[in-house]
Amino acid sequence: MAIVSFNKTVLHNLISKPKTRKAEKEYPAGTRGHVENDMDLCILCGLCSIKCPTHAITVDKNEKTWSIRPMSCIQCRSCVDNCPKKSLSMGLRFQEPGTEKITKTFKQSEKAIAAQEALMKAAKERAAAAAAAKAAAAAQGGQAAPAAAPSPAAQAQPTPAAPANQDQNKE
Ligand code: SF4
Ligand code: SF4
């Protein structure tokens, strides 16, 4: 009798649907995700670090790294909304579970470093050109100043009747 009952259970389990659900591959709607950084765009300005209310982000400009402590992040999105280069986003993918408070560190990409150096070089060249143009204009102005000085004849002409007006105002 026990064999019959066992066989019934086996048969039932073979043809019925599983009682459990498969793990979801995508985030359900409404969840906030987790912070991801595209290091090809990040210029290490540090604004995200300043805006983070839990100090979960650290930027090291000397080492050219951007770090985040995932367990300190409260998924508020403040860093994402304030990133001037739009390199941050809320990734909607599950992460590996962890038991330790780790820090994830990412190095700025060579592409981003080259782009940033090119921008800085162009800015320095613009500043140097502007300074040179200003110096040239100042030199030209210095030479033109004596020619623009009033001639002796003009200086000899009587001054406008300002005192008379003053007298009129006094009356
Ligand atoms: S992620 Fe954005 S805000 Fe943060 S350092 Fe990079 S560019 Fe600046
Ligand atoms: S989502 Fe909020 S808490 Fe998380 S790193 Fe960004 S600013 Fe900090």
Side-chain angles (χ1 to χ4, degrees):
M1 191 65 191
I3 292 278
V4 175
S5 174
F6 175 75
N7 286 341
K8 266 179 74 180
T9 304
V10 169
L11 275 174
H12 177 262
N13 287 342
L14 280 174
I15 58 173
S16 62
K17 285 185 177 176
K19 298 285 187 242
T20 54
R21 285 186 298 144
K22 283 188 177 174
E24 292 182 45
K25 292 277 189 301
E26 291 177 3
Y27 268 21
T31 49
R32 285 176 173 263
H34 63 272
V35 178
E36 290 183 342
N37 195 355
D38 181 350
M39 295 308 287
D40 279 351
L41 298 177
C42 177
I43 56 171
L44 300 177
C45 66
L47 200 56
C48 52
S49 170
I50 294 167
K51 294 289 181 179
C52 176
T54 61
H55 308 293
I57 296 175
T58 312
V59 174
D60 190 330
K61 290 182 185 179
N62 293 328
E63 294 294 322
K64 299 196 180 299
T65 55
W66 181 93
S67 305
I68 186 166
R69 288 178 292 119
M71 287 197 180
S72 297
C73 175
I74 55 172
Q75 284 88 29
C76 68
R77 254 195 93 95
S78 174
C79 55
V80 175
D81 292 339
N82 284 289
C83 176
K85 301 302 286 183
K86 304 291 174 215
S87 68
L88 292 176
S89 59
M90 299 303 283
L92 295 178
R93 286 183 290 106
F94 285 108
Q95 298 187 90
E96 287 294 314
T99 55
E100 290 176 16
K101 290 187 175 181
I102 56 165
T103 301
K104 291 185 173 179
T105 298
F106 302 89
K107 189 114 179 138
Q108 191 179 28
S109 72
E110 294 298 324
K111 179 182 165 188
I113 292 171
Q116 203 170 351
E117 281 173 356
L119 276 176
M120 286 174 71
K121 190 177 166 198
K124 276 184 190 166
E125 285 172 359
R126 275 200 306 275
K134 198 175 171 184
Q140 277 185 355
Q143 286 172 358
S151 65
Q155 285 177 352
Q157 283 185 3
T159 53
N165 288 341
Q166 284 172 6
D167 290 345
Q168 281 171 9
N169 290 338
K170 279 179 190 168
E171 285 174 2

mmCIF file of all heavy atoms in Angstrom, residues 32-35 48-57 66-70 72-82 88 90, ligand 2:
data_model
loop_
_atom_site.group_PDB
_atom_site.id
_atom_site.type_symbol
_atom_site.label_atom_id
_atom_site.label_comp_id
_atom_site.label_asym_id
_atom_site.label_seq_id
_atom_site.Cartn_x
_atom_site.Cartn_y
_atom_site.Cartn_z
ATOM 1 N N ARG A 32 14.782 50.733 -7.445
ATOM 2 C CA ARG A 32 15.702 51.807 -7.783
ATOM 3 C C ARG A 32 17.003 51.337 -8.424
ATOM 4 O O ARG A 32 17.745 52.130 -8.965
ATOM 5 C CB ARG A 32 16.037 52.601 -6.522
ATOM 6 C CG ARG A 32 14.903 53.488 -6.091
ATOM 7 C CD ARG A 32 15.215 54.174 -4.805
ATOM 8 N NE ARG A 32 14.194 55.143 -4.472
ATOM 9 C CZ ARG A 32 14.303 56.428 -4.741
ATOM 10 N NH1 ARG A 32 15.347 56.908 -5.325
ATOM 11 N NH2 ARG A 32 13.328 57.252 -4.418
ATOM 12 N N GLY A 33 17.330 50.097 -8.328
ATOM 13 C CA GLY A 33 18.564 49.603 -8.922
ATOM 14 C C GLY A 33 19.775 49.966 -8.083
ATOM 15 O O GLY A 33 19.669 50.257 -6.891
ATOM 16 N N HIS A 34 20.936 49.972 -8.710
ATOM 17 C CA HIS A 34 22.163 50.317 -7.999
ATOM 18 C C HIS A 34 23.026 51.209 -8.893
ATOM 19 O O HIS A 34 22.868 51.228 -10.116
ATOM 20 C CB HIS A 34 22.926 49.044 -7.616
ATOM 21 C CG HIS A 34 23.373 48.247 -8.791
ATOM 22 N ND1 HIS A 34 22.585 47.291 -9.393
ATOM 23 C CD2 HIS A 34 24.518 48.285 -9.500
ATOM 24 C CE1 HIS A 34 23.221 46.770 -10.416
ATOM 25 N NE2 HIS A 34 24.403 47.359 -10.510
ATOM 26 N N VAL A 35 23.946 51.938 -8.250
ATOM 27 C CA VAL A 35 24.724 52.943 -8.985
ATOM 28 C C VAL A 35 25.797 52.274 -9.845
ATOM 29 O O VAL A 35 26.550 51.427 -9.366
ATOM 30 C CB VAL A 35 25.389 53.924 -8.000
ATOM 31 C CG1 VAL A 35 26.234 54.931 -8.754
ATOM 32 C CG2 VAL A 35 24.334 54.626 -7.165
ATOM 33 N N CYS A 48 29.627 63.988 -7.394
ATOM 34 C CA CYS A 48 28.791 62.905 -6.868
ATOM 35 C C CYS A 48 29.154 62.620 -5.410
ATOM 36 O O CYS A 48 28.282 62.363 -4.574
ATOM 37 C CB CYS A 48 28.948 61.656 -7.709
ATOM 38 S SG CYS A 48 30.671 61.170 -7.935
ATOM 39 N N SER A 49 30.443 62.692 -5.121
ATOM 40 C CA SER A 49 30.912 62.431 -3.757
ATOM 41 C C SER A 49 30.388 63.497 -2.796
ATOM 42 O O SER A 49 29.988 63.191 -1.671
ATOM 43 C CB SER A 49 32.439 62.410 -3.778
ATOM 44 O OG SER A 49 32.939 62.384 -2.492
ATOM 45 N N ILE A 50 30.373 64.738 -3.267
ATOM 46 C CA ILE A 50 29.883 65.834 -2.420
ATOM 47 C C ILE A 50 28.377 65.703 -2.178
ATOM 48 O O ILE A 50 27.884 65.940 -1.083
ATOM 49 C CB ILE A 50 30.210 67.192 -3.084
ATOM 50 C CG1 ILE A 50 31.720 67.394 -3.128
ATOM 51 C CG2 ILE A 50 29.529 68.347 -2.363
ATOM 52 C CD1 ILE A 50 32.163 68.528 -4.035
ATOM 53 N N LYS A 51 27.656 65.296 -3.210
ATOM 54 C CA LYS A 51 26.189 65.234 -3.115
ATOM 55 C C LYS A 51 25.680 63.974 -2.415
ATOM 56 O O LYS A 51 24.511 63.897 -2.069
ATOM 57 C CB LYS A 51 25.582 65.294 -4.527
ATOM 58 C CG LYS A 51 25.800 66.610 -5.239
ATOM 59 C CD LYS A 51 24.968 67.692 -4.631
ATOM 60 C CE LYS A 51 25.155 69.023 -5.334
ATOM 61 N NZ LYS A 51 24.331 70.086 -4.765
ATOM 62 N N CYS A 52 26.532 62.974 -2.219
ATOM 63 C CA CYS A 52 26.061 61.714 -1.616
ATOM 64 C C CYS A 52 25.796 61.906 -0.118
ATOM 65 O O CYS A 52 26.711 62.257 0.635
ATOM 66 C CB CYS A 52 27.105 60.627 -1.826
ATOM 67 S SG CYS A 52 26.647 59.084 -1.019
ATOM 68 N N PRO A 53 24.570 61.684 0.337
ATOM 69 C CA PRO A 53 24.250 61.927 1.745
ATOM 70 C C PRO A 53 24.878 60.915 2.702
ATOM 71 O O PRO A 53 24.987 61.182 3.894
ATOM 72 C CB PRO A 53 22.721 61.825 1.780
ATOM 73 C CG PRO A 53 22.371 60.960 0.632
ATOM 74 C CD PRO A 53 23.400 61.232 -0.422
ATOM 75 N N THR A 54 25.296 59.767 2.194
ATOM 76 C CA THR A 54 25.869 58.748 3.089
ATOM 77 C C THR A 54 27.379 58.592 2.911
ATOM 78 O O THR A 54 27.970 57.666 3.473
ATOM 79 C CB THR A 54 25.196 57.380 2.829
ATOM 80 O OG1 THR A 54 25.460 57.005 1.472
ATOM 81 C CG2 THR A 54 23.708 57.423 3.052
ATOM 82 N N HIS A 55 27.988 59.471 2.098
ATOM 83 C CA HIS A 55 29.439 59.423 1.845
ATOM 84 C C HIS A 55 29.857 58.045 1.323
ATOM 85 O O HIS A 55 30.881 57.496 1.731
ATOM 86 C CB HIS A 55 30.225 59.762 3.109
ATOM 87 C CG HIS A 55 29.785 61.046 3.753
ATOM 88 N ND1 HIS A 55 29.972 62.267 3.145
ATOM 89 C CD2 HIS A 55 29.145 61.286 4.914
ATOM 90 C CE1 HIS A 55 29.465 63.215 3.920
ATOM 91 N NE2 HIS A 55 28.944 62.657 4.985
ATOM 92 N N ALA A 56 29.043 57.511 0.452
ATOM 93 C CA ALA A 56 29.342 56.184 -0.094
ATOM 94 C C ALA A 56 30.351 56.249 -1.237
ATOM 95 O O ALA A 56 30.935 55.232 -1.598
ATOM 96 C CB ALA A 56 28.056 55.520 -0.589
ATOM 97 N N ILE A 57 30.545 57.449 -1.793
ATOM 98 C CA ILE A 57 31.425 57.581 -2.973
ATOM 99 C C ILE A 57 32.702 58.317 -2.591
ATOM 100 O O ILE A 57 32.668 59.305 -1.857
ATOM 101 C CB ILE A 57 30.697 58.352 -4.104
ATOM 102 C CG1 ILE A 57 29.489 57.564 -4.593
ATOM 103 C CG2 ILE A 57 31.642 58.642 -5.263
ATOM 104 C CD1 ILE A 57 28.642 58.297 -5.613
ATOM 105 N N TRP A 66 37.540 56.075 -8.954
ATOM 106 C CA TRP A 66 36.220 56.376 -8.419
ATOM 107 C C TRP A 66 35.771 55.143 -7.637
ATOM 108 O O TRP A 66 35.811 54.028 -8.178
ATOM 109 C CB TRP A 66 35.260 56.672 -9.565
ATOM 110 C CG TRP A 66 33.862 57.020 -9.165
ATOM 111 C CD1 TRP A 66 33.356 58.271 -8.950
ATOM 112 C CD2 TRP A 66 32.764 56.115 -8.982
ATOM 113 N NE1 TRP A 66 32.027 58.199 -8.634
ATOM 114 C CE2 TRP A 66 31.649 56.888 -8.637
ATOM 115 C CE3 TRP A 66 32.628 54.729 -9.058
ATOM 116 C CZ2 TRP A 66 30.400 56.315 -8.384
ATOM 117 C CZ3 TRP A 66 31.391 54.154 -8.801
ATOM 118 C CH2 TRP A 66 30.294 54.954 -8.470
ATOM 119 N N SER A 67 35.380 55.319 -6.381
ATOM 120 C CA SER A 67 35.026 54.164 -5.542
ATOM 121 C C SER A 67 33.650 54.335 -4.935
ATOM 122 O O SER A 67 33.210 55.464 -4.651
ATOM 123 C CB SER A 67 36.039 54.007 -4.401
ATOM 124 O OG SER A 67 37.342 53.920 -4.912
ATOM 125 N N ILE A 68 33.004 53.212 -4.696
ATOM 126 C CA ILE A 68 31.694 53.234 -4.036
ATOM 127 C C ILE A 68 31.625 52.088 -3.026
ATOM 128 O O ILE A 68 32.149 50.996 -3.284
ATOM 129 C CB ILE A 68 30.535 53.153 -5.061
ATOM 130 C CG1 ILE A 68 29.198 53.328 -4.356
ATOM 131 C CG2 ILE A 68 30.586 51.868 -5.877
ATOM 132 C CD1 ILE A 68 28.036 53.595 -5.294
ATOM 133 N N ARG A 69 31.003 52.376 -1.889
ATOM 134 C CA ARG A 69 30.754 51.323 -0.904
ATOM 135 C C ARG A 69 29.273 50.955 -1.027
ATOM 136 O O ARG A 69 28.393 51.676 -0.545
ATOM 137 C CB ARG A 69 31.083 51.846 0.509
ATOM 138 C CG ARG A 69 32.594 51.995 0.717
ATOM 139 C CD ARG A 69 32.953 52.541 2.073
ATOM 140 N NE ARG A 69 32.535 53.910 2.210
ATOM 141 C CZ ARG A 69 31.668 54.348 3.116
ATOM 142 N NH1 ARG A 69 31.103 53.527 3.959
ATOM 143 N NH2 ARG A 69 31.355 55.611 3.172
ATOM 144 N N PRO A 70 28.977 49.855 -1.708
ATOM 145 C CA PRO A 70 27.575 49.527 -2.022
ATOM 146 C C PRO A 70 26.686 49.411 -0.790
ATOM 147 O O PRO A 70 25.507 49.779 -0.840
ATOM 148 C CB PRO A 70 27.669 48.188 -2.754
ATOM 149 C CG PRO A 70 29.068 48.097 -3.232
ATOM 150 C CD PRO A 70 29.906 48.852 -2.260
ATOM 151 N N SER A 72 26.740 51.122 1.823
ATOM 152 C CA SER A 72 26.414 52.437 2.395
ATOM 153 C C SER A 72 25.430 53.198 1.513
ATOM 154 O O SER A 72 24.889 54.219 1.919
ATOM 155 C CB SER A 72 27.682 53.276 2.549
ATOM 156 O OG SER A 72 28.561 52.672 3.455
ATOM 157 N N CYS A 73 25.256 52.716 0.291
ATOM 158 C CA CYS A 73 24.376 53.417 -0.655
ATOM 159 C C CYS A 73 22.908 53.143 -0.317
ATOM 160 O O CYS A 73 22.525 51.999 -0.090
ATOM 161 C CB CYS A 73 24.688 52.936 -2.070
ATOM 162 S SG CYS A 73 23.585 53.622 -3.306
ATOM 163 N N ILE A 74 22.129 54.219 -0.292
ATOM 164 C CA ILE A 74 20.696 54.077 -0.002
ATOM 165 C C ILE A 74 19.848 54.254 -1.271
ATOM 166 O O ILE A 74 18.644 54.459 -1.202
ATOM 167 C CB ILE A 74 20.251 55.072 1.088
ATOM 168 C CG1 ILE A 74 20.620 56.509 0.697
ATOM 169 C CG2 ILE A 74 20.858 54.699 2.438
ATOM 170 C CD1 ILE A 74 20.054 57.564 1.617
ATOM 171 N N GLN A 75 20.506 54.213 -2.413
ATOM 172 C CA GLN A 75 19.816 54.306 -3.714
ATOM 173 C C GLN A 75 18.958 55.564 -3.833
ATOM 174 O O GLN A 75 17.851 55.515 -4.361
ATOM 175 C CB GLN A 75 18.957 53.067 -3.988
ATOM 176 C CG GLN A 75 19.735 51.851 -4.403
ATOM 177 C CD GLN A 75 20.200 51.021 -3.235
ATOM 178 O OE1 GLN A 75 19.559 51.000 -2.199
ATOM 179 N NE2 GLN A 75 21.319 50.350 -3.380
ATOM 180 N N CYS A 76 19.479 56.700 -3.358
ATOM 181 C CA CYS A 76 18.681 57.934 -3.411
ATOM 182 C C CYS A 76 18.756 58.606 -4.775
ATOM 183 O O CYS A 76 17.983 59.488 -5.082
ATOM 184 C CB CYS A 76 19.154 58.899 -2.336
ATOM 185 S SG CYS A 76 20.809 59.553 -2.639
ATOM 186 N N ARG A 77 19.756 58.243 -5.605
ATOM 187 C CA ARG A 77 19.911 58.797 -6.964
ATOM 188 C C ARG A 77 20.509 60.191 -6.999
ATOM 189 O O ARG A 77 20.607 60.790 -8.068
ATOM 190 C CB ARG A 77 18.547 58.885 -7.654
ATOM 191 C CG ARG A 77 18.238 57.923 -8.708
ATOM 192 C CD ARG A 77 17.045 58.391 -9.491
ATOM 193 N NE ARG A 77 17.489 59.149 -10.617
ATOM 194 C CZ ARG A 77 17.648 58.628 -11.816
ATOM 195 N NH1 ARG A 77 17.352 57.378 -12.036
ATOM 196 N NH2 ARG A 77 18.092 59.376 -12.802
ATOM 197 N N SER A 78 20.859 60.752 -5.858
ATOM 198 C CA SER A 78 21.374 62.120 -5.846
ATOM 199 C C SER A 78 22.632 62.231 -6.706
ATOM 200 O O SER A 78 22.802 63.196 -7.455
ATOM 201 C CB SER A 78 21.678 62.531 -4.403
ATOM 202 O OG SER A 78 22.293 63.781 -4.378
ATOM 203 N N CYS A 79 23.520 61.251 -6.619
ATOM 204 C CA CYS A 79 24.760 61.292 -7.411
ATOM 205 C C CYS A 79 24.432 61.239 -8.902
ATOM 206 O O CYS A 79 25.024 61.970 -9.700
ATOM 207 C CB CYS A 79 25.660 60.132 -7.016
ATOM 208 S SG CYS A 79 24.885 58.523 -7.141
ATOM 209 N N VAL A 80 23.486 60.399 -9.264
ATOM 210 C CA VAL A 80 23.124 60.241 -10.677
ATOM 211 C C VAL A 80 22.562 61.549 -11.226
ATOM 212 O O VAL A 80 22.935 62.000 -12.309
ATOM 213 C CB VAL A 80 22.081 59.104 -10.843
ATOM 214 C CG1 VAL A 80 21.608 59.010 -12.279
ATOM 215 C CG2 VAL A 80 22.676 57.784 -10.394
ATOM 216 N N ASP A 81 21.692 62.170 -10.453
ATOM 217 C CA ASP A 81 21.050 63.395 -10.923
ATOM 218 C C ASP A 81 22.014 64.570 -10.992
ATOM 219 O O ASP A 81 21.761 65.525 -11.719
ATOM 220 C CB ASP A 81 19.865 63.749 -10.012
ATOM 221 C CG ASP A 81 18.746 62.737 -10.137
ATOM 222 O OD1 ASP A 81 18.707 62.042 -11.172
ATOM 223 O OD2 ASP A 81 17.924 62.620 -9.210
ATOM 224 N N ASN A 82 23.102 64.538 -10.227
ATOM 225 C CA ASN A 82 24.017 65.683 -10.189
ATOM 226 C C ASN A 82 25.285 65.483 -11.013
ATOM 227 O O ASN A 82 26.106 66.393 -11.088
ATOM 228 C CB ASN A 82 24.407 65.982 -8.734
ATOM 229 C CG ASN A 82 23.285 66.675 -7.994
ATOM 230 O OD1 ASN A 82 22.990 67.834 -8.250
ATOM 231 N ND2 ASN A 82 22.619 65.954 -7.101
ATOM 232 N N LEU A 88 26.921 58.502 -14.542
ATOM 233 C CA LEU A 88 26.289 57.627 -13.540
ATOM 234 C C LEU A 88 24.887 57.233 -13.975
ATOM 235 O O LEU A 88 24.177 58.009 -14.625
ATOM 236 C CB LEU A 88 26.218 58.344 -12.191
ATOM 237 C CG LEU A 88 27.555 58.611 -11.500
ATOM 238 C CD1 LEU A 88 27.335 59.409 -10.231
ATOM 239 C CD2 LEU A 88 28.267 57.317 -11.194
ATOM 240 N N MET A 90 21.444 54.310 -12.708
ATOM 241 C CA MET A 90 20.954 53.301 -11.774
ATOM 242 C C MET A 90 20.783 52.003 -12.569
ATOM 243 O O MET A 90 19.824 51.849 -13.327
ATOM 244 C CB MET A 90 19.630 53.724 -11.141
ATOM 245 C CG MET A 90 19.710 55.007 -10.326
ATOM 246 S SD MET A 90 20.918 54.978 -9.000
ATOM 247 C CE MET A 90 20.082 54.000 -7.763
HETATM 248 S S1 SF4 B 2 22.480 56.707 -4.832
HETATM 249 FE FE1 SF4 B 2 22.531 58.181 -3.119
HETATM 250 S S2 SF4 B 2 23.439 57.051 -1.419
HETATM 251 FE FE2 SF4 B 2 23.895 55.876 -3.283
HETATM 252 S S3 SF4 B 2 25.906 56.589 -3.912
HETATM 253 FE FE3 SF4 B 2 24.401 57.846 -4.999
HETATM 254 S S4 SF4 B 2 24.102 59.676 -3.735
HETATM 255 FE FE4 SF4 B 2 25.129 58.103 -2.453
#
